[in-house]
Amino acid sequence: MMPELIIYLLKVNLSILLFYFGYRLFLKQFTFYSLNRIYLLLGLIYSSLFPLINIADLFKSNPEIKQQISNISPDWQYSVSYVNSTSPVPDSIYWQAVILIFWTGVTLMLARLIIQLISLLILHRKSEPAVSGDYSFRIVSKKVNPFSFWKTIYLNPEYHEQKELQSILEHEQVHVRQLHSLDVLFAEICIVFYWFNPAAWLIKDSIQANLEYITDLKVLNSGIDRREYQYALLKINVLPQNALPVNNFHLLTIKRRIAMMNKRQSNRIKKGIYILLLPAIMCLVLIVTNSKAALNGCQLGSVIVNLPQMPKIIGINSELTSEGIKSSESVMLQNKNQSVGNLEVSITADTTKPKNVIIKLTAMGDSIKSGERKPLYVLDGIEVTDLSILNPKNIDKIAVLKGAAGTAKYGTEGSNGVIEITTKTAGMPAITDTKSSTSISLRQVQSEKVSLGGLNNNELILLNGNEVEKSVLNDLSVMSIATIEVFKGEKALNKFGEKGRNGVVVITTKKDK
């Protein structure tokens, strides 16, 4: 099953991809560079944080909107599987390999960023402070493209004439005043964790390019001669560029820089595209990356399993607590090739009590919690209300039907959802037991006989409507039984009178037996 980390990364990087396409298709050609800066940064921030948003709480006050979004959301079936600790989990090794590759990439990219910052620190210590007019900067000894980082400008004045120097310092001072280094650093940090996503690299390049467009426009508006400024760009083109997380004076091709400087300003009416595009992409990301279950804020059912042996858990949003291993995601219980969908699992950590094996299904959800609606439980094709005697070891599969799937198969009774449970002894007698401690053992072998444990020999036993002794059951084959019903207490008295005071076991055999 897919680990939580992989789910998170898929959501984040799909969102980054959508934000980049939005920028590339609609915004890149505009000259609203400050708005583009906000859009690109917000795209990375939103993409990193939105998987942590609780969708159910977000739309809790607007149930109609939540329902509309739920109708068009994909019905993803996230899963958590569990197996005994002695059983191998062949699929998990592949996810472990993927996670190992991811963290290896993160480590390498983080090391790269740290080395770059250390190189910048070394360069800073080797540089010397200087002043030119109203601008202060640091002189570096090597041949380098002028750049700025945080509040410091670095350049070698030997490679620049006085007129060029004024334009360069004004350019870099804009980077310093507007804190463009924060944008560059944030983009680099995102690359550390999303190094495998081409869209993340493209957004980083777009952020750096957009910062240069902002700066060029500010410099020209300050009164710097356009031709002299562009000439300075042409001359500096021959200087080597830094491979550091800084604002380089010459970052893009000269052709692109000059083209953007000479481009006609976009019509202000087109700013309305930002108002429409940004929320549209944010909503689209929420819709395509969340399942119906997440939007509904719950799953249809809850399964609580106490196993005699502590299982391993592989899945989504699982955590080890003092009470055990819990998962709040939609899950799938697997028994060999069979499965159960859309359930919440809580597995106790107490392995010292192997005797009690219990499975309990309870209704979940906003309306179900309040008792307004309950799902329909179907055990081996028969509607039941009490599953207290169901042994989880005998479960073959559990299927959950929601919405139209439930009503199509069970009519209006299935409108609140249906939980279908198929046991390994499906096709054998159906058992109904109301608050009974009676233990009924049914096995799949044709020759096996019925075994009723926990009886005190005072119960009334009815076989096909006739009162019989318990010894009669010794000759009765399990496979010949159609149903077994156990009545206790008031239900037994109400149905069978005084004879049912000590409990009643009603056995009906198949017609052809």
Side-chain angles (χ1 to χ4, degrees):
M1 298 298 110
M2 195 176 295
E4 179 185 359
L5 175 61
I6 303 300
I7 296 281
Y8 171 81
L9 291 174
L10 287 176
K11 289 185 176 183
V12 169
N13 287 278
L14 176 59
S15 176
I16 290 175
L17 187 64
L18 291 174
F19 271 99
Y20 175 73
F21 279 139
Y23 173 76
R24 180 78 179 185
L25 296 176
F26 300 101
L27 309 180
K28 185 179 180 180
Q29 69 271 22
F30 296 154
T31 59
F32 307 126
Y33 306 129
S34 295
L35 289 178
N36 285 348
R37 179 189 184 189
I38 295 172
Y39 173 89
L40 292 169
L41 290 176
L42 187 60
L44 289 177
I45 294 171
Y46 178 80
S47 298
S48 300
L49 297 180
F50 91 90
L52 308 178
I53 298 174
N54 189 319
I55 305 300
D57 292 342
L58 187 64
F59 296 104
K60 193 171 184 179
S61 59
N62 298 286
E64 293 182 359
I65 296 178
K66 182 176 70 172
Q67 183 60 41
Q68 292 176 0
I69 296 177
S70 176
N71 291 337
I72 59 177
S73 294
D75 195 7
W76 288 10
Q77 299 295 327
Y78 296 148
S79 61
V80 172
S81 64
Y82 69 87
V83 295
N84 289 335
S85 58
T86 56
S87 302
V89 188
D91 291 341
S92 65
I93 191 171
Y94 300 109
W95 290 121
Q96 291 174 7
V98 171
I99 292 174
L100 178 61
I101 293 172
F102 165 74
W103 285 115
T104 300
V106 169
T107 302
L108 293 176
M109 296 304 297
L110 182 60
R112 165 183 167 271
L113 180 59
I114 292 174
I115 291 172
Q116 289 177 339
L117 294 175
I118 292 174
S119 300
L120 180 60
L121 178 61
I122 294 173
L123 185 146
H124 177 82
R125 290 183 175 179
K126 290 183 178 180
S127 64
E128 297 178 358
V131 177
S132 177
D134 297 331
Y135 305 102
S136 60
F137 62 96
R138 297 190 73 89
I139 300 175
V140 295
S141 58
K142 63 181 183 178
K143 186 178 181 180
V144 67
N145 192 300
F147 68 92
S148 61
F149 182 79
W150 192 232
K151 296 184 177 182
T152 306
I153 300 171
Y154 302 87
L155 58 85
N156 188 335
E158 296 180 4
Y159 296 96
H160 312 287
E161 296 179 2
Q162 187 60 34
K163 290 183 178 180
E164 297 170 2
L165 190 61
Q166 186 71 14
S167 299
I168 294 170
L169 289 172
E170 177 63 26
H171 177 98
E172 296 302 329
Q173 190 62 34
V174 174
H175 284 311
V176 169
R177 286 196 299 265
Q178 296 197 3
L179 302 177
H180 289 174
S181 295
L182 292 179
D183 300 40
V184 175
L185 274 178
F186 179 66
E188 290 287 349
I189 291 173
C190 288
I191 288 297
V192 168
F193 293 98
Y194 313 138
W195 55 267
F196 53 89
N197 187 358
W201 290 88
L202 291 171
I203 282 190
K204 188 198 82 164
D205 292 342
S206 298
I207 287 174
Q208 291 181 310
N210 194 68
L211 294 177
E212 295 305 317
Y213 300 150
I214 292 174
T215 307
D216 289 339
L217 185 60
K218 289 287 185 181
V219 171
L220 295 178
N221 290 339
S222 69
I224 297 291
D225 184 78
R226 183 181 298 268
R227 290 187 178 181
E228 288 185 2
Y229 183 64
Q230 293 175 356
Y231 177 75
L233 285 176
L234 289 169
K235 190 173 181 181
I236 293 173
N237 185 37
V238 300
L239 296 177
Q241 184 174 308
N242 284 291
L244 300 174
V246 297
N247 300 113
N248 286 285
F249 183 76
H250 172 64
L251 173 67
L252 309 170
T253 63
I254 297 301
K255 183 178 179 180
R256 284 181 61 191
R257 290 280 291 279
I258 294 177
M260 295 305 290
M261 278 187 275
N262 296 326
K263 188 174 182 179
R264 179 181 295 181
Q265 295 296 303
S266 301
N267 193 320
R268 292 185 178 181
I269 297 177
K270 294 182 179 179
K271 289 184 178 181
I273 294 179
Y274 292 86
I275 300 176
L276 298 175
L277 182 64
L278 187 59
I281 293 180
M282 294 172 72
C283 291
L284 178 62
V285 166
L286 284 177
I287 290 172
V288 301
T289 59
N290 285 282
S291 66
K292 293 181 183 295
L295 284 167
N296 291 329
C298 62
Q299 292 75 39
L300 179 62
S302 170
V303 178
I304 303 175
V305 184
N306 299 320
L307 299 179
Q309 186 175 20
M310 187 63 183
K312 292 180 180 178
I313 259 215
I314 306 160
I316 305 163
N317 206 19
S318 58
E319 59 178 343
L320 179 61
T321 67
S322 59
E323 298 178 354
I325 296 180
K326 296 185 177 181
S327 172
S328 61
E329 294 287 343
S330 302
V331 302
M332 185 174 292
L333 300 181
Q334 292 190 335
N335 181 1
K336 295 183 179 180
N337 295 326
Q338 306 296 341
S339 61
V340 182
N342 283 347
L343 300 174
E344 179 180 295
V345 166
S346 172
I347 300 180
T348 182
D350 186 3
T351 60
T352 62
K353 301 178 180 180
K355 293 182 179 180
N356 297 325
V357 182
I358 304 168
I359 181 167
K360 180 181 180 183
L361 289 92
T362 58
M364 296 289 288
D366 294 338
S367 60
I368 296 178
K369 283 180 181 178
S370 61
E372 296 175 6
R373 298 186 302 168
K374 291 184 179 180
L376 175 68
Y377 299 106
V378 179
L379 176 62
D380 291 336
I382 299 176
E383 297 179 14
V384 296
T385 57
D386 185 13
L387 299 173
S388 60
I389 64 168
L390 182 61
N391 188 334
K393 291 183 178 180
N394 191 36
I395 293 178
D396 186 29
K397 65 178 180 179
I398 304 178
V400 176
L401 305 179
K402 299 183 295 180
T407 54
K409 190 171 183 179
Y410 294 94
T412 56
E413 293 185 357
S415 59
N416 297 327
V418 182
I419 299 179
E420 294 182 330
I421 304 174
T422 304
T423 64
K424 297 175 183 178
T425 55
M428 297 177 62
I431 304 170
T432 304
D433 183 6
T434 306
K435 298 182 180 180
S436 170
S437 61
T438 304
S439 171
I440 302 177
S441 175
L442 300 176
R443 301 181 182 177
Q444 205 163 5
V445 181
Q446 177 73 27
S447 60
E448 286 290 341
K449 306 303 180 181
V450 176
S451 172
L452 298 180
L455 295 179
N456 54 21
N457 294 324
N458 294 324
E459 287 86 355
L460 174 65
I461 300 178
L462 299 178
L463 177 61
N464 294 328
N466 300 317
E467 184 175 344
V468 298
E469 297 293 332
K470 183 180 178 181
S471 58
V472 174
L473 302 180
N474 295 335
D475 299 324
L476 187 63
S477 170
V478 168
M479 298 305 294
S480 66
I481 298 177
T483 62
I484 297 180
E485 296 178 279
V486 180
F487 298 89
K488 289 286 184 179
E490 292 184 3
K491 287 193 174 183
L493 287 171
N494 293 336
K495 190 174 182 63
F496 299 97
E498 193 63 27
K499 288 186 176 181
R501 176 172 296 279
N502 296 320
V504 182
V505 178
V506 180
I507 302 174
T508 305
T509 60
K510 298 177 182 178
K511 294 182 179 180
D512 57 345
K513 297 297 178 181

